[in-house]
Amino acid sequence: IGLGYADSGDGVTLTVDDNGCGFDARAAPPVGHLGLAGIRERAAWIGAALTIDSSAQGTRLAVRWQAPPAQAA
């Protein structure tokens, strides 16, 4: 499992990746599995974008939060 953090000055990106067998990120979750739904909700609450890339070589979740533009005084 890998964890990453990148600060671009106008926002941040947090990543989590693994080398598991992957899954279909577009498929409906099995009954009782709410993990990705919770991550999606939390990202939306803060105005962040969630990206999920999954294949037979592993999965990467990335949450990108962009800082709002500065207000002129």
Side-chain angles (χ1 to χ4, degrees):
I1 293 178
L3 301 173
Y5 169 84
D7 183 343
S8 63
D10 64 346
V12 296
T13 302
L14 304 174
T15 58
V16 178
D17 58 272
D18 68 24
N19 62 352
C21 62
F23 61 94
D24 184 353
R26 297 167 302 193
V31 174
H33 291 234
L34 302 175
L36 287 178
I39 294 169
R40 284 186 180 104
E41 285 180 3
R42 286 171 178 83
W45 286 341
I46 64 169
L50 172 65
T51 305
I52 303 170
D53 295 313
S54 189
S55 70
Q57 288 75 44
T59 300
R60 171 172 279 205
L61 302 179
V63 177
R64 169 80 178 138
W65 177 79
Q66 187 81 27
Q71 300 273 335

